[in-house]
Amino acid sequence: MGTLHLSDQVRQALQEGRAVVALESTVISHGLPYPTNLETARRMEEIIRQHGGIPATIAVLDGKIRVGLTEAELEHLATSKAVRKTSRRDLPVVVAQYGDGATTVAATATVAAWAGIDVFSTGGIGGVHRDPPYDISNDLPTLASTPVAVVCAGAKAILDLRATVEWLETAGVPVIGYDTDEFPAFYTRESGLPVDVCVQTALDAASIIRAGREMGLPGATLIVVPVPAADEMPAKKLQMAINSALAEASARGIEGSASTPFLLRWVAKETGGASLKANVSLLENNAAVAAQIAVALREISAAAPAKPA
Ligand code: PSU
Ligand code: MN
């Protein structure tokens, strides 16, 4: 991939077979307010290091696809208003126009796979939106075709979670519950929807990821981790905020790529910071789990090098 620019640290870590964990950047530019966004971006990197991993935050800067960012670059993403939300289809546009782009789950997973990074940590994936015209995030088809393990807290209840889980099943994406037998709803731990399997340890998750890779399956493995119980949001308060956000978006005619950031901001405003606390908590928790899984994957691979599929 000629247009891929790895930081020295990430390049070296990959060469040495260390446990690299990719991180997205839309959550920094569009998902959280300043300065929480910058603090959280730094914390996630720190947590990955504490668990023996090497963080690789992914973004497009001056038209270059970058894997592994400096402190100043994280700050730029956290403060600049000129950073474009960049999903997979936006990558060629931002690169050709020498722009700055913050990568979504779809774009980050795509770049991580190009770079040879096996594990990617995020907050929540995009999914099927509620009500016509059933806007479907590119995160879903990209997960169907991109071989990377994605650690997330499920998907937000602003979406149609049942349709989202169904889409993952149709697309052949295994959904692994990390110490849970329910698909988590991001701000809350439960949705009433099933996962394919519940695992208790990073090693068990890594074994499933490894088995899928050995078979040469083309898609992602989704590892879903509920928000830590202490930071879970009260369900009723959240439901009211979501209803208000959906009504407001519809009244203002907000659609397309503006939809998710608008809904997230409105829920944060309506819940007076409680949603922010949950969001930061699950991002940090996912980073820790992802690093543990990445380390376990390296250990399995070192013990038994992969056979070609
Ligand atoms: N869900 C969140 N926080 C986020 C996003 C989703 O809880 O910041 C971001 C992610 O980058 C995700 C993107 O990939 O929104 C999905 O946007 P869309 O629905 O436009 O595909
Ligand atoms: Mn969309």
Side-chain angles (χ1 to χ4, degrees):
M1 202 49 55
T3 50
L4 215 52
H5 298 263
L6 308 189
S7 71
D8 289 344
Q9 201 181 38
V10 169
R11 178 185 308 281
Q12 195 182 350
L14 287 169
Q15 276 166 2
E16 291 171 359
R18 307 259 313 266
V20 179
V21 177
L23 293 166
E24 64 149 309
S25 45
T26 295
V27 66
I28 306 174
S29 65
H30 292 70
L32 294 170
Y34 182 83
T36 307
N37 56 355
L38 180 57
E39 289 158 10
T40 307
R42 286 187 187 131
R43 273 294 291 152
M44 288 190 290
E45 293 208 349
E46 232 172 75
I47 287 166
I48 289 167
R49 289 183 206 283
Q50 281 164 4
H51 286 86
I54 302 289
T57 303
I58 291 175
V60 184
L61 295 171
D62 287 328
K64 294 193 171 74
I65 301 178
R66 303 280 307 278
V67 183
L69 303 182
T70 64
E71 173 65 32
E73 289 163 346
L74 286 181
E75 187 162 346
H76 174 64
L77 289 171
T79 52
S80 169
K81 294 279 172 261
V83 177
R84 174 176 172 141
K85 177 180 162 186
T86 302
S87 190
R88 187 167 63 172
R89 72 169 178 180
D90 306 297
L91 281 172
V93 178
V94 180
V95 167
Q97 298 186 344
Y98 304 100
D100 289 341
T103 50
T104 64
V105 168
T108 308
T110 299
V111 173
W114 285 340
I117 298 173
D118 296 324
V119 181
F120 160 31
S121 184
T122 184
I125 58 165
V128 183
H129 285 255
R130 299 187 193 178
D131 304 320
Y134 305 112
D135 172 347
I136 297 175
S137 172
N138 176 251
D139 290 355
L140 293 180
T142 293
L143 290 174
S145 61
T146 309
V148 63
V150 180
V151 178
C152 70
K156 279 211 172 77
I158 55 169
L159 301 169
D160 183 334
L161 292 184
R162 181 176 296 277
T164 300
V165 167
E166 203 51 54
W167 213 102
L168 290 166
E169 188 269 326
T170 302
V173 176
V175 179
I176 304 177
Y178 198 80
D179 204 12
T180 183
D181 47 24
E182 277 191 38
F183 189 82
F186 195 86
Y187 292 127
T188 54
R189 294 174 58 85
E190 287 163 7
S191 66
L193 296 165
V195 293
D196 295 321
V197 62
C198 167
V199 301
Q200 306 289 343
T201 67
L203 188 62
D204 287 345
S207 307
I208 296 171
I209 295 163
R210 160 92 174 185
R213 295 298 292 271
E214 281 200 343
M215 289 168 205
L217 291 179
T221 304
L222 199 62
I223 296 103
V224 294
V225 190
V227 59
D231 299 313
E232 182 178 30
M233 284 191 66
K236 201 163 157 213
K237 192 170 173 182
L238 180 63
Q239 202 46 60
M240 280 165 58
I242 288 171
N243 291 340
S244 150
L246 292 169
E248 193 65 25
S250 151
R252 296 190 192 194
I254 291 171
E255 291 175 347
S257 69
S259 172
T260 298
F262 175 83
L263 294 170
L264 302 189
R265 264 201 316 280
W266 198 269
V267 168
K269 183 173 83 71
E270 291 282 296
T271 58
S275 71
L276 205 57
K277 186 164 166 249
N279 205 338
V280 170
S281 168
L282 66 87
L283 282 164
E284 294 183 356
N285 188 52
N286 292 351
V289 170
Q292 288 165 316
I293 291 173
V295 166
L297 254 181
R298 302 320 309 182
E299 282 166 1
I300 305 178
S301 307
K307 298 182 287 290

